[in-house]
Amino acid sequence: MSYFKLNKAKIFFCIVFLSAAFSVFAQHPQNPGNESWKMFQKAQALFDQKNYGKSIKLANDCLAQRKKEVEYIDYVLANALKPYPVRKVGDDINEVLTVLRERDEYESVEIIETYINEKGEDYFDSSISKLTEYLHKRQDYPEVYFLIAKIYRLEGEFDMAYTYLEKAHASSFLLEIPAQDIDILYEMAAIAENKNDVPRQEKLLELIAVNDGRYSDTNLKNALLRTSRSTKEDNSSRFFELYRIDAIRTVNAYYSLSKIYDNAKEREKAYLANLYAVLISFTHINSILEERESDYHYKNLTEFFDEIKKYPDIVEWCGKNHFWEGFYNIYTLGIKNKCTRFPVDVVNVLAKSCPEVYWKNAAIEAASKIREEKQVTITVD
């Protein structure tokens, strides 16, 4: 009987011990490592190989893995920052780090220092609470959302694609390459265009345009209008000598906005958006020519076009990125905006020197029409 009681006591002790052990284990999650980044790279490689089924599965697994990683970091930091000696020094990152080092909280110190080195202390305003808030938000993985969205779009699932793009844009502050947010916005705008949602498309394109810092520059807009309305001789060459806009990734947004504004009869906005697009492309090409030819510098529009003809890759880029169309639209939209000399000068240069046959012929036709109208005016006078 006593033997049975002793065994019963041992069994009870084992149950209590195991329960406690499992409880401790549950409260101390294992470090899941940093596998989510590797998983994303593999999912991206599968996407590039057009293996979309496996890519999207791995992408979703990657999101689950990222969640585990963030939960582990949340746990480590919450426990390290909870004791009173740590809390009493306040919110300053450096003060907190000093105490954590004194308490031998090596793992939490490593986590904090990793993200200070990556983002910079100023990014968090030297605030430990802002850093922990940022780390918690890393459950979102915008690069993976973007990848999933592209797969859904290719499969024709536009609503699902747009949902993931919205998530990617909302968490764009987490992007390893911040400029990738422009690619996300372009994808969103493309879906809006596909669904014929022009107001949404316009709003998204304007968000892209804002990235160059010049979209809302009233002084620049007024200067562009004033110069392009001037009747000075050779105004076309002077215009491109005066102005530069270095923002090549926004160029297609401006071209698209110009068409949207023109269709909405917003003539001045359409003209300005087209001018921005042309200036951005001009700045980009001009800088390439300066890199390739040490003695090159811009003199006039005719010589600039002749320089472009020397390089097939630049000619090809111009065709793909609406460059010649943009110059032709300086004429069509400029006339609508009471610009008399500048658009005519531009279309005459285009007629003489444009290397792309379609836009050269369109410019020749426009120039011929201008000459005919002048002759009629002289005859009537």
Side-chain angles (χ1 to χ4, degrees):
M1 192 71 173
S2 60
Y3 176 77
F4 175 76
K5 286 181 179 179
L6 183 61
N7 278 349
K8 193 173 180 181
K10 284 182 178 179
I11 292 168
F12 177 77
F13 174 77
C14 287
I15 292 171
V16 170
F17 176 80
L18 289 172
S19 297
F22 281 119
S23 175
V24 169
F25 181 79
Q27 292 172 10
H28 293 76
Q30 287 186 323
N31 187 343
N34 188 28
E35 295 299 308
S36 60
W37 184 83
K38 296 176 185 177
M39 293 170 75
F40 166 62
Q41 295 300 314
K42 290 178 182 177
Q44 181 65 57
L46 288 166
F47 175 84
D48 294 338
Q49 295 163 16
K50 296 183 171 52
N51 194 334
Y52 303 129
K54 288 185 178 179
S55 178
I56 199 168
K57 181 184 182 304
L58 188 55
N60 281 306
D61 290 344
C62 175
L63 291 176
Q65 172 66 18
R66 172 59 73 94
K67 187 172 184 292
K68 291 178 184 177
E69 293 169 4
V70 171
E71 285 175 347
Y72 179 75
I73 288 174
D74 283 348
Y75 164 79
V76 170
L77 291 181
N79 280 278
L81 299 174
K82 184 167 55 178
Y84 176 72
V86 182
R87 286 186 287 113
K88 77 173 183 178
V89 299
D91 196 45
D92 183 87
I93 285 178
N94 292 302
E95 295 289 338
V96 170
L97 277 172
T98 299
V99 177
L100 291 176
R101 291 188 187 104
E102 290 171 354
R103 294 172 60 83
D104 297 333
E105 292 283 358
Y106 302 118
E107 191 171 20
S108 59
V109 168
E110 184 181 358
I111 291 168
I112 293 167
E113 287 182 338
T114 295
Y115 288 96
I116 288 176
N117 292 334
E118 181 181 305
K119 305 293 291 185
E121 190 178 320
D122 290 343
Y123 182 84
F124 306 108
D125 296 328
S126 298
S127 165
I128 193 66
S129 58
K130 287 185 178 180
L131 184 144
T132 55
E133 182 183 356
Y134 168 83
L135 294 179
H136 180 72
K137 288 177 179 177
R138 287 182 69 256
Q139 288 194 59
D140 287 310
Y141 204 154
E143 288 90 349
V144 178
Y145 293 152
F146 188 28
L147 176 61
I148 293 172
K150 286 189 285 188
I151 295 172
Y152 276 125
R153 187 184 173 203
L154 286 169
E155 297 296 326
E157 297 284 348
F158 296 113
D159 289 337
M160 285 293 290
Y162 198 86
T163 296
Y164 275 94
L165 287 168
E166 283 184 312
K167 293 174 75 171
H169 177 57
S171 57
S172 60
F173 64 94
L174 295 168
L175 285 167
E176 190 170 331
I177 303 172
Q180 194 177 19
D181 191 36
I182 291 179
D183 299 327
I184 294 167
L185 289 168
Y186 269 124
E187 287 284 331
M188 295 172 77
I191 291 175
E193 182 180 18
N194 181 270
K195 295 169 76 71
N196 201 29
D197 189 344
V198 177
R200 179 176 289 184
Q201 181 193 6
E202 179 182 339
K203 181 180 178 182
L204 290 163
L205 291 170
E206 286 175 344
L207 284 174
I208 296 170
V210 166
N211 275 275
D212 71 15
R214 310 300 297 276
Y215 180 73
S216 303
D217 188 337
T218 304
N219 291 331
L220 177 61
K221 289 179 180 179
N222 290 337
L224 293 177
L225 288 172
R226 185 169 56 251
T227 306
S228 62
R229 284 172 178 160
S230 170
T231 56
K232 289 182 180 180
E233 188 176 351
D234 199 22
N235 198 31
S236 59
S237 294
R238 177 171 167 268
F239 183 88
F240 291 98
E241 192 171 4
L242 286 173
Y243 304 108
R244 298 283 191 278
I245 302 177
D246 186 9
I248 192 59
R249 298 192 69 212
T250 67
V251 67
N252 288 320
Y254 278 113
Y255 279 126
S256 297
L257 282 170
S258 180
K259 292 177 182 179
I260 290 172
Y261 295 149
D262 191 37
N263 289 335
K265 303 290 191 292
E266 297 183 80
R267 302 305 188 202
E268 187 174 287
K269 288 177 73 174
Y271 178 59
L272 281 168
N274 187 70
L275 279 181
Y276 271 70
V278 171
L279 276 170
I280 290 168
S281 295
F282 171 85
T283 303
H284 178 65
I285 295 167
N286 195 61
S287 65
I288 292 173
L289 292 174
E290 288 174 340
E291 287 175 6
R292 294 185 181 183
E293 302 177 25
S294 58
D295 59 343
Y296 166 80
H297 66 277
Y298 174 77
K299 293 178 183 176
N300 58 61
L301 205 53
T302 300
E303 289 188 20
F304 177 72
F305 285 178
D306 288 340
E307 286 294 321
I308 288 175
K309 293 175 189 176
K310 295 178 183 178
Y311 301 100
D313 60 324
I314 299 179
V315 173
E316 183 182 359
W317 186 93
C318 290
K320 288 180 178 178
N321 290 276
H322 315 288
F323 187 61
W324 309 117
E325 180 184 0
F327 267 97
Y328 182 77
N329 286 339
I330 288 178
Y331 166 70
T332 59
L333 296 172
I335 296 300
K336 296 175 184 178
N337 279 274
K338 301 177 182 178
C339 304
T340 53
R341 183 65 183 262
F342 177 57
V344 172
D345 285 350
V346 167
V347 85
N348 281 328
V349 175
L350 201 63
K352 178 184 175 183
S353 303
C354 179
E356 190 165 302
V357 175
Y358 178 86
W359 293 111
K360 183 181 180 71
N361 289 339
I364 290 171
E365 186 178 337
S368 176
K369 185 178 178 182
I370 291 165
R371 286 194 296 273
E372 288 174 6
E373 288 174 352
K374 282 185 178 179
Q375 289 173 357
V376 169
T377 303
I378 293 170
T379 304
V380 171
D381 289 345

